[in-house]
């Protein structure tokens, strides 16, 4: 385990398949709060009050207030230096895959294509009853209703206790298994199955990289560890 930027540079230069997994840390650089740790959202709020179907059925107003607040923060922000650097990486390697746990859409805004959005999108609304869905960037002070059946619309994000999209997960697992370098950045790796992707990559021979100012449960398993903010290192990887 070492933070050898030169070594990683050389490795990246001869690698064809590179996978990056991101978490809320890359968007923290744009003023969007992370979930865990000192100023994390889950310090002040319980996930079971805001990010479960049970909570939504009990109080859709409260859940929508939370999502409307987050949508506002994201709307007022834009992609940051890390999103932009990752988008550049996508152009550099033909075999590049970006997997994100973030629902904010900032990777796409930075120009990344084909992002595997494991936890969905805060900008997609889906009906809790029928198959209605739409892209939507409005500000909602009340609960939006389905124009087809009149039931409540919810953000199309993965809540606790809900399964991930199967195809998206399969594609992410395949990318992890076939990558030569797997970079985990801005995530505490506390939520499965995203967290186990780095270890899948390692077991199938990839060099693993962690970029995070804090240690995670998997830090000791990583081949390269950079205990810094993402914006301090990602632009250097494409230089
Ligand atoms: P967490 O809040 O669990 O972790 C954010 C990580 O980013 C922490 O380890 C921080 O140390 C790190 N970090 C903060 N600033 C950083 C920076 N500038 N550069 C690099 N790293 C930085 O967020 P996630 O791991 O994304 O799920 O959380 C995973 C999932 O848990 C989320 O997708 C969400 C949440 O509950 C759902 O909503 C389903
Ligand atoms: Zn409906």
């Amino acid at each position: 385990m070492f933070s050898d930027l030169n070594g990683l540079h050389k490795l990246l230069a001869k690698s064809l398949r590179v996978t990056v997994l991101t978490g809320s840390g890359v968007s923290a650089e744009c003023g969007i709060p992370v979930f865990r740790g000192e100023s994390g959202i889950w310090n002040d709020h319980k996930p079971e009050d805001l990010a479960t179907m049970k909570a939504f059925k009990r109080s859709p107003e409260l859940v929508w207030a939370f999502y409307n607040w987050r949508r506002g923060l994201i709307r007022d922000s834009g992609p940051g230096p890390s999103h932009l650097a990752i988008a550049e990486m996508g152009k550099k390697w033909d075999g590049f895959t970006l997997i994100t746990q973030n629902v904010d859409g900032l990777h796409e805004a930075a120009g990344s294509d084909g992002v595997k959005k494991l936890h969905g999108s805060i900008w997609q609304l889906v009906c809790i009853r029928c198959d209605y869905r739409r892209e939507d960037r409005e500000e909602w002070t009340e609960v939006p209703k389905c124009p087809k059946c009149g039931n409540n619309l919810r953000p199309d994000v993965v809540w606790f206790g809900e399964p991930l999209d199967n195809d998206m997960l399969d594609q992410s697992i395949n990318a992890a298994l076939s990558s030569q370098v797997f970079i985990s950045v801005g995530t505490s790796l506390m939520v499965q199955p995203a967290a186990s992707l780095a270890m899948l990559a390692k077991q199938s021979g990839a060099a693993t990289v962690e970029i995070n100012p804090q240690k995670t449960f998997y830090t000791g398993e990583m081949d390269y560890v950079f205990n810094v903010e993402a914006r301090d290192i990602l632009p250097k990887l494409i230089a």
Side-chain angles (χ1 to χ4, degrees):
M1 169 172 106
F2 51 118
S3 49
D4 169 15
L5 182 58
N6 269 335
L8 180 56
H9 244 147
K10 284 186 192 142
L11 181 62
L12 284 170
K14 62 180 187 194
S15 296
L16 300 173
R17 293 178 306 280
V18 175
T19 300
V20 172
L21 169 70
T22 66
S24 61
V26 297
S27 296
E29 296 174 347
C30 311
I32 299 164
V34 296
F35 294 96
R36 298 175 183 80
E38 223 171 281
S39 47
I41 292 176
W42 299 149
N43 271 341
D44 299 331
H45 306 279
K46 287 196 220 140
E48 56 269 33
D49 289 342
L50 298 170
T52 63
M53 193 59 183
K54 199 172 163 195
F56 190 70
K57 289 209 165 130
R58 189 171 53 222
S59 179
E61 296 79 14
L62 178 71
V63 173
W64 258 108
F66 172 63
Y67 281 94
N68 199 37
W69 166 68
R70 284 179 57 202
R71 282 159 62 105
L73 290 177
I74 301 161
R75 217 185 276 111
D76 293 345
S77 135
S82 297
H83 299 103
L84 294 168
I86 292 168
E88 279 302 306
M89 292 175 83
K91 297 191 187 105
K92 234 177 141 161
W93 286 276
D94 284 341
F96 182 86
T97 306
L98 173 56
I99 306 167
T100 189
Q101 299 165 84
N102 300 344
V103 297
D104 53 33
L106 291 175
H107 284 303
E108 284 89 345
S112 285
D113 296 323
V115 187
K116 311 289 174 232
K117 292 197 287 257
L118 279 183
H119 292 167
S121 167
I122 203 167
W123 304 118
Q124 281 282 325
L125 304 193
V126 287
C127 178
I128 57 164
R129 267 296 136 65
C130 75
D131 62 358
Y132 180 82
R133 62 165 54 242
R134 70 160 182 260
E135 168 138 2
D136 178 300
R137 298 183 74 89
E138 297 302 306
E139 189 179 343
W140 287 102
T141 48
E142 51 196 65
V143 180
K145 300 285 176 191
C146 175
K148 257 170 91 176
C149 76
N151 278 290
N152 290 336
L153 295 176
R154 59 169 278 185
D156 190 16
V157 297
V158 176
W159 281 334
F160 288 92
E162 292 180 335
L164 274 59
D165 180 271
N166 248 327
D167 289 343
M168 196 75 81
L169 182 59
D170 273 354
Q171 291 163 21
S172 303
I173 290 171
N174 286 335
L177 289 174
S178 68
S179 52
Q180 291 160 290
V181 182
F182 186 100
I183 304 174
S184 168
V185 50
T187 171
S188 65
L189 295 176
M190 293 286 284
V191 173
Q192 297 294 355
S196 58
L197 291 171
M199 291 307 104
L200 281 183
K202 187 183 168 84
Q203 281 154 22
S204 69
T208 48
V209 183
E210 182 168 79
I211 302 169
N212 194 320
Q214 307 287 329
K215 281 201 168 63
T216 72
F217 184 69
Y218 294 95
T219 303
E221 304 290 329
M222 299 284 174
D223 297 307
Y224 295 83
V225 176
F226 298 92
N227 276 136
V228 295
E229 299 205 326
R231 64 177 153 203
D232 292 334
I233 188 113
L234 285 174
K236 292 183 186 159
L237 297 185
I238 41 164

